[in-house]
Amino acid sequence: MGTALVYHEDMTATRLLWDDPECEIECPERLTAALDGLRQRGLEERCLCLSACEASEEELGLVHSPEYIALVQKTQTLDKEELHALSKQYDAVYFHPDTFHCARLAAGAALQLVDAVLTGAVHNGLALVRPPGHHSQRAAANGFCVFNNVAIAAKHAKQKYGLQRILIVDWDVHHGQGIQYIFNDDPSVLYFSWHRYEHGSFWPFLPESDADAVGQGRGQGFTVNLPWNQVGMGNADYLAAFLHVLLPLAFEFDPELVLVSAGFDSAIGDPEGQMQATPECFAHLTQLLQVLAGGRICAVLEGGYHLESLAQSVCMMVQTLLGDPTPPLLGLMVPCQSALESIQSVQTAQAPHWTSLQQNVAPVLSSNTHSPEERSLPLLGESPTGTVAEDSLSPLLDRLCLHPAPPICTAVASTVPGAALCLPPGVLHQEGSVLREETEAWARLHKSRFQDEDLATLGKILCLLDGIMDGQIRNGIATTTALATAATLDVLIQRCLARRAQRVLCVALGQLDRPLDLADDGRILWLNIQGKEAAIRSMFHFSTPLPQTSGGFLSLILGLVLPLAYGFQPDMVLMALGPAHGLQNAQAALLAAMLRSPVGGRILAVVEEESILLLARSLAQALHGETPPSLGPFSKASPEEIQALMFLKARLEARWKLLQVAAPPP
């Protein structure tokens, strides 16, 4: 269905008319820089471009008082001195004769985007707007914000479409207190915000920005504040927050729509945030959200004041919404001590309200956990004031090239006819094969496991693997006989290493043991999901039982598989479903969908033939970028499932730092 881009050039009309160092950063060039970036990279032309229309006064009234709307309307006729005097009545706000028109366009753009997504005209999209909105309150402008664009969009989605569960993800570096106030007692809106807080010493200096502000009345637990108490938070810190706080709550909440208050002042180089997250991090955050709400994501621009960083971050988000592979994340995946403390404080505050946090494992903040000052990788070009030097930012952003999508997204190598597999449109049935002699040479070590028909299939699978590693195919699915599954997986591992893959992640489900002759040298990370007990054979070889509850399965993915995958940073993922793998359709699809992010989509799923007719379509859809089906009602992990996860985390976290973050016990 595609991706919408909602914009109107009139939103560049407002600008500061007097000298005010605090407000001068909110300038028209923010929009033009972002739009120019999208155009230069060919992303705008791939979107459905919609020209924003003004929100009506009735629509503004979903959130704002009639008196406040009338006051903003009056600014159209005020002179410069009157505008300046009115602006000084609010905190960090400036008015302009075009403010009312621009602010109505900004709110209207958010409404148009919600309409386009919820009517099925598009799958997702971005409203490129100014002024921003998340600080604005019912009767007050605040922090550059006039009308609360995202809050109005949420109210509109509830009123017009009858939605009962809306998730708002606010990754702007400032707390969106306006959204929090509007939905403080509303259990139909789950509001998550991370923000620079520094124990209350950073704007907007509010105690209700801290982790213990969880909502009021029926809305308790539906406000989730994650305060960053130091600057310098980076990719690992943001990922840890998603994996150990936001996503567990979001899966339990099961939203029908995701709204993103997309502020990019939380990216590297921004003078407001002074954070270290690189633009490609926002591609990963976006893709992690795409497994929710049927992929219905509406992002609305908030802050972002370093023009180059803003433009790059917007491009990263849009290319992910369009379905392009995520680029690799830079740097070590080691959350800092301050981030772990903040995340744990959120988990402590929220655990009484969420089963998904009650079942997780308390983090161990080990002595070798880094603080921002002690990271193995220094903050890039940091000046004594904590800002990032211009001469260090540009070379970094230059490396963040937007990789072209492979010509083929997903391919299937199978002896089962494509029609029988009911593959979704756009998935190719692989016909090519490597030479018979080459196939026989690779199969020689496992000759007893391969019959003639198995060798023919292996040739197709090797050809498919080569296509993925050459960048011609993004990912694929292959079928084998039950007898040949383990041998096929071993051959694929050796082929990856021979083709100079530095790191290969193998997620093996069912009766598939790690090959005995495989060197334990850190190039292969082997996770076997089978049996009844968790076991660790090395820091790169371990196993865990397959959870039977939805809560246990989600904890396995979010609390173990993804932290390991992001920490390992593989070049290739092999996901093997062997005999007695036990995965249901929705579980297999979710696992495949979530594994796409850490590896840029380069996954080869190997499935034994008895399961392929059941799993082929959902696996292909997930690898192709479609949202996986729901796991069903959330059920709490069993004590045995929690114990297995605790056992692994306690022993692996010294090597795999993203495992250190989890919720306290109930």
Side-chain angles (χ1 to χ4, degrees):
M1 291 185 289
T3 296
L5 180 66
V6 192
Y7 171 78
H8 198 292
E9 64 181 9
D10 282 3
M11 284 186 280
T12 62
T14 59
R15 64 170 58 249
L16 186 64
L17 299 177
W18 50 85
D19 183 38
D20 185 341
E22 183 179 32
C23 289
E24 65 185 6
I25 59 174
E26 206 298 289
C27 59
E29 290 75 20
R30 296 178 58 242
L31 281 196
T32 55
L35 194 61
D36 286 348
L38 293 171
R39 287 170 174 166
Q40 290 167 10
R41 290 158 181 81
L43 296 172
E44 181 195 32
E45 65 189 30
R46 295 172 57 193
C47 296
L48 174 64
C49 294
L50 302 175
S51 180
C53 300
E54 291 183 337
S56 68
E57 292 185 28
E58 180 182 0
E59 289 166 335
L60 298 177
L62 292 171
V63 165
H64 298 287
S65 69
E67 296 78 12
Y68 174 66
I69 296 170
L71 182 146
V72 179
Q73 185 175 20
K74 187 180 70 172
T75 61
Q76 298 175 105
T77 61
L78 300 183
D79 61 28
K80 178 179 174 180
E81 288 71 26
E82 291 170 324
L83 289 167
H84 193 186
L86 179 62
S87 300
K88 288 194 294 186
Q89 297 179 27
Y90 299 98
D91 185 5
V93 169
Y94 70 85
F95 289 106
H96 180 279
D98 289 317
T99 290
F100 186 60
H101 174 53
C102 291
R104 287 180 68 183
L105 283 174
L111 295 175
Q112 282 175 267
L113 179 56
V114 166
D115 284 338
V117 168
L118 293 182
T119 58
V122 295
H123 199 51
N124 54 45
L126 170 66
L128 205 55
V129 305
R130 64 182 287 269
H134 68 148
H135 300 304
S136 175
Q137 295 147 45
R138 173 170 168 76
N142 185 267
F144 310 153
C145 300
V146 179
F147 297 132
N148 201 311
N149 308 316
V150 167
I152 292 169
K155 291 275 192 178
H156 174 74
K158 290 175 59 179
Q159 182 187 76
K160 184 173 181 179
Y161 298 97
L163 298 195
Q164 298 178 10
R165 296 181 309 281
I166 298 172
L167 170 64
I168 299 177
V169 179
D170 188 342
W171 65 44
D172 190 280
V173 86
H174 300 92
H175 179 218
Q177 81 276 30
I179 298 177
Q180 177 171 316
Y181 295 156
I182 291 162
F183 297 110
N184 208 30
D185 60 355
D186 187 346
S188 69
V189 176
L190 174 58
Y191 175 61
F192 170 88
S193 172
W194 67 35
H195 39 267
R196 183 176 170 184
Y197 185 61
E198 297 184 76
H199 304 287
S201 66
F202 186 72
W203 193 92
F205 315 110
L206 298 171
E208 57 265 37
S209 302
D210 209 350
D212 58 1
V214 299
Q216 296 180 347
R218 295 192 309 128
Q220 286 191 34
F222 294 92
T223 292
V224 183
N225 285 323
L226 201 169
W228 299 128
N229 287 317
Q230 293 184 13
V231 298
M233 298 299 169
N235 296 343
D237 306 305
Y238 286 8
L239 274 177
F242 261 52
L243 295 179
H244 299 295
V245 177
L246 173 60
L247 289 175
L249 301 186
F251 274 107
E252 184 175 350
F253 182 63
D254 191 22
E256 299 164 291
L257 175 69
V258 177
L259 298 173
V260 182
S261 278
F264 296 103
D265 44 9
S266 51
I268 190 170
D270 195 279
E272 286 288 291
Q274 298 181 27
M275 298 301 181
Q276 288 286 310
T278 52
E280 79 273 15
C281 185
F282 295 96
H284 287 259
L285 302 181
T286 301
Q287 188 162 94
L288 289 171
L289 291 176
Q290 286 180 303
V291 298
L292 302 168
R296 292 182 290 273
I297 297 178
C298 298
V300 181
L301 184 66
E302 299 284 1
Y305 307 101
H306 186 289
L307 299 185
E308 188 176 4
S309 180
L310 168 65
Q312 287 279 358
S313 299
V314 166
C315 288
M316 287 290 174
M317 182 180 202
V318 170
Q319 71 170 20
T320 306
L321 291 174
L322 285 164
D324 291 356
T326 51
L329 276 181
L330 304 177
L332 296 177
M333 290 294 106
V334 181
C336 73
Q337 178 81 13
S338 180
L340 296 182
E341 292 170 353
S342 292
I343 290 170
Q344 187 169 7
S345 70
V346 179
Q347 294 170 323
T348 300
Q350 295 291 340
H353 309 289
W354 295 95
T355 301
S356 54
L357 295 186
Q358 295 167 11
Q359 67 186 23
N360 283 334
V361 186
V364 177
L365 305 184
S366 63
S367 58
N368 59 356
T369 300
H370 297 285
S371 70
E373 294 80 11
E374 299 167 340
R375 290 179 193 265
S376 299
L377 295 180
L379 298 184
L380 295 166
E382 191 178 62
S383 72
T385 62
T387 58
V388 176
E390 291 287 336
D391 58 356
S392 71
L393 181 64
S394 294
L396 170 72
L397 294 176
D398 288 343
R399 294 202 302 271
L400 301 179
C401 55
L402 299 174
H403 303 285
I408 299 171
C409 181
T410 303
V412 175
S414 174
T415 55
V416 180
L421 297 177
C422 299
L423 298 175
V427 175
L428 175 73
H429 200 276
Q430 170 80 19
E431 296 295 343
S433 175
V434 301
L435 295 175
R436 176 80 178 195
E437 295 80 4
E438 185 178 0
T439 304
E440 290 177 346
W442 280 99
R444 191 166 293 126
L445 291 176
H446 303 281
K447 192 171 183 180
S448 63
R449 299 288 186 94
F450 289 107
Q451 306 299 320
D452 284 347
E453 59 269 24
D454 294 325
L455 284 174
T457 303
L458 180 62
K460 289 185 176 183
I461 297 173
L462 292 176
C463 184
L464 176 55
L465 176 67
D466 289 349
I468 295 172
M469 298 194 72
D470 289 338
Q472 297 303 307
I473 302 171
R474 189 179 307 173
N475 50 52
I477 302 169
T479 63
T480 69
T481 60
L483 179 65
T485 304
T488 300
L489 183 57
D490 187 19
V491 169
L492 292 174
I493 293 170
Q494 300 299 337
R495 180 87 164 189
C496 287
L497 297 178
R499 291 185 54 102
R500 302 187 184 280
Q502 298 297 309
R503 293 173 300 278
V504 179
L505 170 61
C506 293
V507 181
L509 295 104
Q511 297 169 4
L512 292 172
D513 293 329
R514 186 179 187 274
L516 295 175
D517 59 347
L518 196 61
D520 193 15
D521 56 5
R523 292 189 296 169
I524 306 297
L525 178 60
W526 182 284
L527 171 60
N528 197 183
I529 303 174
Q530 69 164 354
K532 296 183 178 181
E533 294 183 354
I536 298 175
R537 290 160 180 86
S538 79
M539 285 292 118
F540 294 89
H541 178 200
F542 26 85
S543 62
T544 187
L546 175 66
Q548 300 304 305
T549 64
S550 60
F553 188 73
L554 287 168
S555 288
L556 172 67
I557 293 179
L558 301 176
L560 184 69
V561 176
L562 285 182
L564 289 170
Y566 271 110
F568 186 55
Q569 298 178 319
D571 304 306
M572 183 75 193
V573 170
L574 300 175
M575 173 180 161
L577 278 61
H581 60 77
L583 277 191
Q584 298 174 1
N585 224 327
Q587 292 174 319
L590 181 61
L591 179 59
M594 298 298 274
L595 282 171
R596 290 168 58 227
S597 297
V599 75
R602 294 182 301 278
I603 301 175
L604 178 55
V606 181
V607 186
E608 53 95 10
E609 282 181 342
E610 290 186 8
S611 300
I612 193 62
L613 290 177
L614 176 65
L615 298 177
R617 183 172 179 82
S618 58
L619 269 178
Q621 288 173 327
L623 291 175
H624 204 55
E626 297 183 33
T627 305
S630 171
L631 295 177
F634 184 88
S635 57
K636 185 176 180 179
S638 70
E640 294 78 16
E641 292 166 353
I642 295 173
Q643 184 177 8
L645 195 58
M646 288 177 64
F647 172 85
L648 291 173
K649 280 176 171 283
R651 288 156 180 80
L652 295 174
E653 63 185 10
R655 172 61 178 81
W656 304 104
K657 302 298 185 182
L658 275 177
L659 294 175
Q660 288 184 315
V661 188

